[in-house]
Amino acid sequence: MSTIVTRAGKGSPLTNTEVDNNFTNLNTDKVENLVEDTTPQLGGDLDLNSHDITGTGDINITGTVVADSLKIDSGVFDINLQGSLDALPADNDESHIFTTSGSGSGFFAKYGALGLSSRNKDTSSSDIGFFTDKLLRVEIADTGGVFFYEDTGTTAKLTWDASDEDLDFKDSVRAVFGDGSDLTIEHNGSNSQIKNNTGVLQILQFVDDGDIVLSSDDGFGGTTNYFRADGSTGEAILYHYG
């Protein structure tokens, strides 16, 4: 950095040579590119004048960032929050807020109903996925279906079909009841099984005079009764065909 000659107070004026040297030194030391200055500082606000800040690297800011929106065009990306974040709408209504303490967890808080929605660029509906450790765990389709994925996040093993109103268990997916897996129901791809591991397996009929009926194949593509517990007469009736 060259020396710029000045005079303090009401000292003698700069000589012509000193003025010329000052201009020469200022021109020599000017920053042609911000890259040359590794720690540039602003004395006031930075007006981009409708232009963009572009480049590769990090932006580290201490203080408050105010923006109309945040847009990430494409590709794989991470948003790392080193401190805390409170995201409020423009009216600062704290009943709508996303908060993270910087400890690795975040939550939405809202007094009343909380809604999540997803839209494509053409405003058509799209699915919403919930991930942990970058693996898909739960997916909500725009049709209302809900898909629960196994531990690798690749295959949905339990599905709520909203249109058919069915809860669909895939092969070898068990419905487990009781604290100690006391009762399980599953289809293993070949057979359907009800397994009771604790106490008595009970089938109870509470309808007045109601029956309990066990039916199976009749040998001709249909079904027929094999056993009936008649609730009106108290009879236990066995049947056979052939």
Side-chain angles (χ1 to χ4, degrees):
M1 180 68 69
S2 301
T3 301
I4 303 300
V5 178
T6 61
R7 295 281 193 273
K10 296 183 179 180
S12 60
L14 297 179
T15 66
N16 292 336
T17 300
E18 290 174 330
V19 172
D20 290 340
N21 289 338
N22 282 346
F23 277 109
T24 300
N25 293 338
L26 287 173
N27 186 62
T28 301
D29 291 337
K30 68 180 180 180
V31 177
E32 297 289 348
N33 193 311
L34 284 178
V35 174
E36 299 174 13
D37 188 347
T38 58
T39 58
Q41 297 182 2
L42 298 177
D45 295 335
L46 174 62
D47 187 350
L48 298 180
N49 195 25
S50 299
H51 293 284
D52 299 328
I53 297 178
T54 62
T56 302
D58 300 328
I59 298 177
N60 298 312
I61 298 175
T62 300
T64 302
V65 177
V66 179
D68 294 332
S69 63
L70 173 64
K71 179 181 179 182
I72 302 175
D73 288 334
S74 62
V76 178
F77 61 88
D78 292 317
I79 298 178
N80 298 315
L81 304 177
Q82 303 297 325
S84 62
L85 170 68
D86 290 331
L88 296 173
D91 58 5
N92 288 323
D93 180 3
E94 293 188 5
S95 65
H96 303 70
I97 182 173
F98 172 77
T99 300
T100 176
S101 63
S103 61
S105 62
F107 63 90
F108 290 92
K110 179 182 183 297
Y111 301 106
L114 172 65
L116 295 176
S117 63
S118 179
R119 290 286 186 272
N120 292 316
K121 289 184 177 181
D122 60 2
T123 71
S124 62
S125 298
S126 61
D127 299 347
I128 297 177
F130 295 88
F131 296 77
T132 61
D133 197 24
K134 298 183 180 180
L135 296 176
L136 181 59
R137 303 304 186 187
V138 180
E139 182 180 12
I140 303 177
D142 59 358
T143 58
V146 183
F147 305 88
F148 298 87
Y149 284 75
E150 35 67 80
D151 59 349
T152 66
T154 57
T155 304
K157 292 291 189 177
L158 178 63
T159 301
W160 165 249
D161 188 325
S163 59
D164 291 337
E165 298 185 355
D166 290 336
L167 187 60
D168 182 10
F169 292 77
K170 300 302 182 182
D171 286 348
S172 300
V173 176
R174 298 180 301 163
V176 180
F177 302 86
D179 292 341
S181 299
D182 302 310
L183 175 69
T184 63
I185 302 174
E186 72 171 297
H187 180 78
N188 60 18
S190 300
N191 300 298
S192 299
Q193 300 175 338
I194 301 175
K195 299 178 182 179
N196 180 55
N197 300 302
T198 304
V200 177
L201 180 61
Q202 299 176 328
I203 301 175
L204 305 176
Q205 165 67 285
F206 288 102
V207 176
D208 290 345
D209 297 331
D211 300 346
I212 294 177
V213 178
L214 296 179
S215 300
S216 188
D217 182 69
D218 62 2
F220 301 98
T223 61
T224 188
N225 294 345
Y226 279 71
F227 171 79
R228 177 184 295 271
D230 194 318
S232 61
T233 65
E235 295 177 287
I237 306 170
L238 294 175
Y239 302 89
H240 73 89
Y241 71 88

